[in-house]
Amino acid sequence: MSGSITTAGEFEIDLAEIITVDGSSINLTNKVVTVNIFEDIENPFLSGDISFLDDHNVQNLLPLIGQELLKLKIRTPSMEKPAEIIDSLFYIKTLIASPPVNATRKVIAFEFISLEALENQRRTMCRTLTGTFSNIVENILRSDLKSTKDFYVDQTVGINKIVATDISPLKLIKNIIKQSVSEVYGSPTYMFFETLEGYHFRTLESLYKEDSVMNYTSDSESGYTERKKGYTAVLIELNKIRGLTTNTANDSLLDSKNGAYGSKVITHDIYNKTYRESGYNYFKSFDKEKHINYFAGRGKQSPIFSTVAVDDNKSTAADLPVKTFLLPVSFSDIDARKDAHYTNHEGIHEYTGYNPDSWITTRTSMLNNYDAISASIIVDGHTALRVGDMVNLTLPSTAQSKQTKDNLIDRFYRGAFLVRNIMHKFEINNSGNKHTIDMTCVADCVEEQIPFTDKNPVPKVYGKSNKKIPLTFNV
C-alpha cells in the first residue's frame, strides 16, 4: 500500500521486470534510472523508453537483444484505483544506448512499444466482416490485434459489410474511422487511440463531454507554495504550469486548401447513373455542431475564425471552398443509402452503402480545426492523467496596459481543453524520484466571437503604382 504524497511529482516504481526470449525474467525495479511513456490521440500504440543501471553485465549474460517483454507498474503515492496506476506490458524493440558509467557499470536503454504494434506488423486480414463499424473495430482489436485491454467505444450507425483483402488490421481500422458516424451525436469525428487505461474508438464530442480532471494555471511567482510544517501544498503545485508554449497562428492559405473553412463533394452513383453535389460551410454549420465549449458549464462557443468579408459580395472564406472531393458511390436505394454491391441471404440490400456525403466534408473541417488553439505545457506529474482527458487552462493576459477584470485572462487560453498528447517522464537520481509531464492541450473554439467586418477590407487599389494601365516599352 502506497503512502501519502508529500511532494508534487513523487512516484513509486512497484515493478520493472524484463521477460527474456527464453522465458526467464529479471527484476530491475531498483536499477531503473529513467522511464518515458508517450500517449497521443492520433496514435494507436503507446511507446517509450527505459534506462537502467547494469552493474552485473545482464545485457550479455541473459542476453538482452531487443526482443524482450517489459512489465511496468508505476504509481503516484496515495493513488490506489486501477485507473490511476500505470500497470502495462510492452514489447522491447531496440537498444538505443549503452553509455559506460565506469569500468564495471553502464546504463542500458531500450525503446518499447505496445504488443498490439507487433501483432499488427505480423498479420494481414483476408476475410469478410459484417456489422456496425464500432463492432467491426472491436472484432479486429480482439481477433487480429489480440488485445485483451479495456475498450472504450461510441456506437456507430448503420450495418456495414467489408471485404478485407491482404490488409493490415490497423490500416483497415483507419479506413473505417473515416467513414464512421456516431449513433449519439451524428458526428464523423472518430479517433482510434491507446491510453494507459486501454483502447478508445470515440468521437471528439464524446471526449469533450467528460468532466475536467485538472485545472492548470500559471502565476508570476512560480516556485513551490509552502504549507505548515515545511511541506508543499501538493494539490496547488500539481495545478501549476512550469513551462509553457502557446500557438494560435493558423495558416489561412493551408486551412483553405485543406478544407478547414469549407469543401464540397461530388458523388457519382454508378448504379443509378446519377450524380449529387453537397458542401460544408464552417460558419453556417458551427452552431449546429457540438464543439468543446458546447457542453454544460463550459461557456459560449464561437468560431476560431473571423467571418470577415473576403470579396465585395460579403462572402466569407467558407463561402468560397477550394477543396473538392470526387467520389463514386453505388446505392440500390438512394433515399435509404443502401449498398448495391451486397445482399443478405434473402437477396435483400440491407447494408449501408459507402456514403461520403455524410462524413467527408464535416470530418475534414473538424479534424483540421480541433487543435487550432494549442498550448504545450510542462507540469508536475501524477499517474492518473491520460491523453483524451479534459483539463481547464487559465492563462493570464500579457498586455501591460490597464485592463478590465474580464480581460485579465487570455481570450484564447481559458476554459476547457483536450489533452492531445502526453509524455510521462519518470526520473530517479540522488535527490529522489521526479515525475513530470510534457503535454499538448488543444481547443477548437473560443468563448467570444472574433471581430469582423462584412465589408471587404482590401483596398481597391494598392501596390507601388496606382496607375491602372501598365507602361509599355518600344524596342
Side-chain angles (χ1 to χ4, degrees):
M1 181 71 71
S2 297
S4 299
I5 183 172
T6 58
T7 305
E10 276 187 85
F11 71 92
E12 297 176 359
I13 299 182
D14 292 342
L15 179 67
E17 181 182 78
I18 290 181
I19 301 174
T20 65
V21 292
D22 66 358
S24 61
S25 62
I26 179 169
N27 192 317
L28 298 170
T29 305
N30 296 324
K31 303 294 183 180
V32 173
V33 178
T34 62
V35 178
N36 299 308
I37 304 175
F38 183 65
E39 303 176 53
D40 193 307
I41 200 173
E42 295 186 16
N43 195 324
F45 306 122
L46 301 179
S47 61
D49 60 78
I50 182 172
S51 64
F52 58 89
L53 190 65
D54 182 9
D55 51 6
H56 290 89
N57 197 27
V58 296
Q59 182 185 6
N60 281 285
L61 294 177
L62 289 176
L64 299 178
I65 59 175
Q67 291 178 281
E68 294 77 25
L69 299 178
L70 171 67
K71 286 184 178 180
L72 277 180
K73 188 172 184 179
I74 308 174
R75 75 176 74 226
T76 298
S78 78
M79 291 188 173
E80 299 295 333
K81 296 179 180 179
E84 299 173 336
I85 300 171
I86 296 174
D87 190 356
S88 300
L89 181 68
F90 297 100
Y91 175 72
I92 294 177
K93 65 188 186 72
T94 183
L95 174 69
I96 57 174
S98 183
V101 177
N102 53 42
T104 59
R105 311 173 80 190
K106 61 182 176 179
V107 173
I108 306 297
F110 286 96
E111 287 183 346
F112 56 78
I113 198 166
S114 300
L115 297 182
E116 290 80 2
L118 186 63
E119 292 292 338
N120 180 70
Q121 186 169 328
R122 289 173 173 172
R123 298 179 183 278
T124 57
M125 298 178 60
C126 295
R127 72 176 191 275
T128 300
L129 299 101
T130 304
T132 64
F133 278 142
S134 49
N135 289 338
I136 290 174
V137 169
E138 183 172 13
N139 184 333
I140 296 171
L141 184 66
R142 300 303 186 203
S143 301
D144 300 278
L145 294 178
K146 306 296 183 183
S147 179
T148 60
K149 297 172 182 174
D150 290 341
F151 184 47
Y152 304 86
V153 59
D154 292 344
Q155 296 301 320
T156 57
V157 298
I159 302 298
N160 307 91
K161 187 171 185 178
I162 299 174
V163 179
T165 307
D166 197 25
I167 188 173
S168 71
L170 180 58
K171 188 172 182 179
L172 182 57
I173 289 176
K174 286 182 176 179
N175 291 339
I176 291 172
I177 290 173
K178 299 174 185 177
Q179 304 177 47
S180 299
V181 177
S182 170
E183 183 179 72
V184 175
Y185 300 105
S187 168
T189 58
Y190 273 88
M191 312 290 277
F192 179 73
F193 59 98
E194 183 185 7
T195 74
L196 288 161
E197 287 183 12
Y199 272 93
H200 297 252
F201 179 62
R202 301 173 63 185
T203 59
L204 290 176
E205 291 85 351
S206 171
L207 299 173
Y208 292 160
K209 76 176 179 62
E210 300 292 343
D211 294 331
S212 293
V213 297
M214 297 295 291
N215 297 291
Y216 290 115
T217 186
S218 61
D219 59 37
S220 58
E221 297 179 359
S222 190
Y224 289 86
T225 305
E226 290 190 359
R227 64 180 182 181
K228 294 179 179 180
K229 298 183 180 180
Y231 292 102
T232 58
V234 177
L235 293 179
I236 295 176
E237 298 306 320
L238 285 173
N239 285 284
K240 281 189 178 180
I241 297 174
R242 305 297 176 186
L244 171 67
T245 304
T246 60
N247 178 24
T248 56
N250 300 308
D251 187 329
S252 57
L253 289 179
L254 188 61
D255 287 338
S256 179
K257 179 181 178 181
N258 289 342
Y261 301 125
S263 58
K264 61 181 179 180
V265 55
I266 301 173
T267 55
H268 173 219
D269 189 333
I270 58 179
Y271 187 82
N272 295 288
K273 305 300 187 292
T274 60
Y275 76 92
R276 174 179 172 179
E277 181 176 333
S278 60
Y280 174 87
N281 184 300
Y282 171 78
F283 297 114
K284 292 179 180 178
S285 302
F286 190 87
D287 289 335
K288 303 174 186 176
E289 299 164 345
K290 297 175 176 62
H291 294 267
I292 200 166
N293 284 350
Y294 168 86
F295 297 92
R298 303 272 170 81
K300 180 182 177 182
Q301 64 172 24
S302 295
I304 53 175
F305 303 118
S306 173
T307 55
V308 60
V310 297
D311 61 21
D312 294 336
N313 297 320
K314 299 183 180 181
S315 302
T316 68
D319 293 323
L320 305 171
V322 175
K323 193 174 188 66
T324 300
F325 300 93
L326 303 172
L327 297 167
V329 297
S330 181
F331 297 124
S332 62
D333 185 326
I334 296 178
D335 295 328
R337 320 301 277 179
K338 296 300 182 181
D339 197 333
H341 290 95
Y342 304 115
T343 60
N344 62 12
H345 64 282
E346 297 177 346
I348 299 173
H349 296 276
E350 68 171 353
Y351 302 112
T352 302
Y354 176 68
N355 185 20
D357 301 58
S358 66
W359 56 269
I360 193 166
T361 54
T362 304
R363 179 179 175 86
T364 297
S365 177
M366 296 189 74
L367 267 293
N368 265 280
N369 297 328
Y370 90 99
D371 59 351
I373 303 172
S374 68
S376 297
I377 65 175
I378 302 173
V379 296
D380 294 317
H382 63 83
T383 53
L385 191 63
R386 302 286 183 263
V387 71
D389 282 345
M390 294 298 299
V391 298
N392 282 320
L393 289 188
T394 306
L395 303 184
S397 178
T398 57
Q400 296 181 355
S401 59
K402 186 176 180 180
Q403 303 176 86
T404 65
K405 184 177 180 180
D406 292 339
N407 291 331
L408 292 177
I409 302 175
D410 191 291
R411 73 153 64 209
F412 295 104
Y413 297 96
R414 60 169 74 188
F417 277 71
L418 173 70
V419 179
R420 176 180 174 175
N421 54 50
I422 291 180
M423 175 68 84
H424 289 275
K425 295 182 176 181
F426 302 94
E427 183 175 358
I428 299 175
N429 53 43
N430 294 332
S431 59
N433 297 355
K434 184 62 178 178
H435 176 197
T436 58
I437 291 177
D438 291 10
M439 64 179 171
T440 302
C441 305
V442 299
D444 67 347
C445 65
V446 292
E447 292 182 9
E448 299 179 0
Q449 186 175 22
I450 304 296
F452 71 96
T453 175
D454 60 2
K455 295 182 180 179
N456 186 5
V458 179
K460 299 298 181 186
V461 180
Y462 60 93
K464 186 175 180 180
S465 173
N466 289 329
K467 294 181 179 180
K468 296 182 179 179
I469 302 176
L471 295 176
T472 57
F473 295 89
N474 296 320
V475 292

